[in-house]
Amino acid sequence: MRSDRIKEGLKQAPARAMLRAVGVGDEDFRKPFVGVVNTFTDGMPCNLHLRQLALDLKAGLKEAGLFPFEFGAPAISDGISMGTPGMRASLVSREVIADSVELIAQGYLYDGMVALSACDKTIPGGAMGVIRSGVPGMVLYGGTIAPGEWRGRKLTIVEVFEAVGQRAAGKISDEELGEIERRAIPGPGACGGQYTANTMAMALEALGLSPLGYNAIPAVHPEKAKATREAGRILAEAIARDWKPRDFLTRKSFLNAVAAVAATGGSTNAVLHLLALAKEAGVELSLDDFDRVSRKTPVIADLRPWGTYTAWELYEAGGTALVFQRLLEAGLLFGEEKTLTGRTLAEEVERAYREAEGQRVVFPVEKALKPQGGLVVLKGNLAPKGAVLKLAGTERTFFEGPARVFDAEEAAMEAVLQGRIRPGDVVVIRYVGPKGAPGMPEMLSVTSAIVGEGLGPEVALLTDGRFSGGTRGLMVGHIAPEAAIGGPIALLEEGDRVRIDVENRLLEVLLPEEELSRRQARWQPRPPGFAKGLFARYAALVGQADEGAVLADPA
């Protein structure tokens, strides 16, 4: 065992003495040691219940003959920080979490690693760290929140964001906004649609990094505790076989994850995170792969934010296995790819498959809700390296209008709430990319306000930042190169005509190349927003969105 370097031999007596003080007994030194990195916080509902989940997990690990040690890692709430300077910390936290998992695995020479995750960046961050650790490991997702309810409507956090725009437009009263605010979040769990957390949780099951079916179990569902204890046995078997993530993560397993995202109208953040995970695993994956897979993968799940049902209702319908079974039947997944159990994806789906009688959430491929998947990659003179659109959230496939240019999200939000954005406008929010913000914040506050005011189908939005999984409408993000390094989005001026042509995968400003060249020659970079500390280091090292916005390694 790798941990023998810590606990065996004459010279390790001091280490054993320290370990005895935390409860390791004579027999325990013969067991594999496992690190449990827990992103618990009582600062938000998404991760609130992970303290109890960790107790269930550690009990299961001990029952399986392993000895667990629990550690903490940070978790930033996108829902709380959205629309504020705090949102800069969200994507940065993905790297910090990955570093934390890797650090613990290396510092204690553990034989296995588990990351307990919930809110958006804790899932890919935990997965990146588990892959880096180089030992058998898994990522367990805390699960979706239960839907709220108001006047017969099921609510998620997105309804609160959109209610802000509805209130600004005079469509609802202060009292109604207050009722929605109070009823939308009934308890623990991550945001309740096919937003980023649930999208990535499903993607990890497709990759095989999470036990199939586990992540779909809601946070407060009675089955969660039992399944968490069972995860201990799964990890014990992987450790016994020395079955590590890099042993089963392949290009085909990543394409499976992309197909799962496309088929469920999942978050555009999955593009960023799967690119980052593929790099950790040493697997070739490009932005163009997302477009190719999405073109041949129809949307078969009627899920929010664009659809009808919440993630809890998907679980009731049959969960992840039902989605995967439909895709396997149509030949849209590589069923022979292995998972953390050592069994193939197809074998795991067969074991977990169930379908609730009369369910209306997941459809057969021949009765698909949309003929192509939810992810579209656009390129053109505004995004030479690409940009991402979630097509499942809009019916518009062509848009042309004048640019309304803002160099900060706050300024754009003010214009929306003051009624200064008109039908036909193309709202541009720039200098909010990986380096520019830094941290590539999400724009859910602005996009939801636009939708809430009734402008969703009539206004487009472009940004070098990101969108929440809760975003819907003609919203194009991840524009690369970003404004902070002189990308073409930095050259836009108020009133420039911008064209979005989804069918031809084009994003362009209708200007001659000579004019763009003149503007490029005049462009000057802005001074960095942070001169020292974590955010300054991040801005100096982070790459562009088309490559996953990962930090550069030493040459």
Side-chain angles (χ1 to χ4, degrees), residues 110-445:
Y110 285 142
D111 304 298
M113 293 295 296
V114 185
L116 281 174
S117 63
C119 191
D120 294 6
K121 307 312 166 293
T122 67
I123 304 172
M128 291 164 70
V130 165
I131 295 168
R132 276 187 214 165
S133 71
V135 297
M138 63 171 63
V139 183
L140 299 180
Y141 171 54
T144 182
I145 198 170
E149 192 166 340
W150 178 66
R151 298 184 181 178
R153 292 171 50 202
K154 285 187 167 60
L155 299 178
T156 70
I157 188 64
V158 171
E159 279 69 41
V160 187
F161 278 102
E162 292 183 358
V164 173
Q166 292 166 352
R167 178 65 194 93
K171 296 181 178 181
I172 61 174
S173 66
D174 287 336
E175 291 74 18
E176 289 172 312
L177 174 59
E179 288 179 23
I180 294 170
E181 174 188 327
R182 288 175 174 83
R183 294 172 183 267
I185 309 295
C191 298
Q194 193 67 340
Y195 313 146
T196 302
N198 288 313
T199 297
M200 285 306 301
M202 180 178 286
L204 289 199
E205 290 190 22
L207 286 172
L209 268 175
S210 300
L212 200 142
Y214 176 88
N215 289 350
I217 303 172
V220 297
H221 197 283
E223 289 294 318
K224 198 69 172 182
K226 178 183 176 182
T228 303
R229 293 174 79 105
E230 170 65 12
R233 180 192 60 78
I234 295 172
L235 184 61
E237 291 176 354
I239 291 173
R241 294 167 42 242
D242 195 28
W243 185 240
K244 300 179 287 293
R246 285 196 181 97
D247 294 328
F248 59 84
L249 290 175
T250 67
R251 175 170 167 78
K252 287 182 178 179
S253 62
F254 275 94
L255 295 178
N256 283 343
V258 174
V261 175
T264 56
S267 169
T268 53
N269 279 314
V271 177
L272 206 65
H273 300 324
L274 288 172
L275 288 170
L277 287 172
K279 183 173 182 180
E280 297 291 353
V283 170
E284 180 184 347
L285 190 71
S286 73
L287 197 60
D288 291 335
D289 287 322
F290 289 84
D291 195 76
R292 281 193 289 267
V293 172
S294 194
R295 281 180 184 266
K296 67 178 184 179
T297 308
V299 176
I300 61 170
D302 186 8
L303 295 171
R304 298 188 187 190
W306 69 271
T308 307
Y309 298 101
T310 63
W312 186 296
E313 291 165 300
L314 172 61
Y315 174 72
E316 292 176 329
T320 309
L322 177 57
V323 175
F324 291 0
Q325 186 261 357
R326 296 283 199 261
L327 295 175
L328 283 167
E329 282 182 339
L332 295 171
L333 291 181
F334 298 100
E336 72 278 9
E337 294 307 294
K338 293 294 183 71
T339 71
L340 66 93
T341 66
R343 292 184 290 271
T344 66
L345 180 65
E347 289 170 335
E348 291 294 342
V349 169
E350 184 178 0
R351 290 162 65 96
Y353 173 74
R354 61 180 175 83
E355 181 174 1
E357 185 177 355
Q359 67 85 20
R360 299 291 299 164
V361 183
V362 181
F363 291 78
V365 168
E366 60 270 17
K367 297 181 180 179
L369 300 166
K370 294 175 182 285
Q372 293 188 6
L375 299 175
V376 170
V377 175
L378 306 175
K379 293 185 179 180
N381 65 4
L382 271 181
K385 291 189 176 181
V388 180
L389 163 69
K390 184 166 73 174
L391 188 59
T394 178
E395 300 301 326
R396 296 286 295 263
T397 59
F398 186 90
F399 196 99
E400 185 179 312
R404 303 295 308 281
V405 182
F406 302 92
D407 290 346
E409 180 186 5
E410 291 83 353
M413 184 67 168
E414 182 179 351
V416 171
L417 294 181
Q418 291 179 355
R420 291 189 279 117
I421 302 301
R422 305 294 186 208
D425 285 347
V426 178
V427 177
V428 178
I429 306 176
R430 63 189 182 186
Y431 291 100
V432 291
K435 290 181 178 292
M440 203 180 178
E442 293 179 347
M443 303 289 146
L444 182 59
S445 294

Side-chain angles (χ1 to χ4, degrees), residues 479-503:
I479 290 177
E482 64 177 299
I485 63 171
I489 190 174
L491 310 180
L492 282 176
E493 296 178 0
E494 189 81 7
D496 287 344
R497 300 290 293 182
V498 172
R499 178 179 293 163
I500 302 168
D501 184 348
V502 175
E503 293 299 325

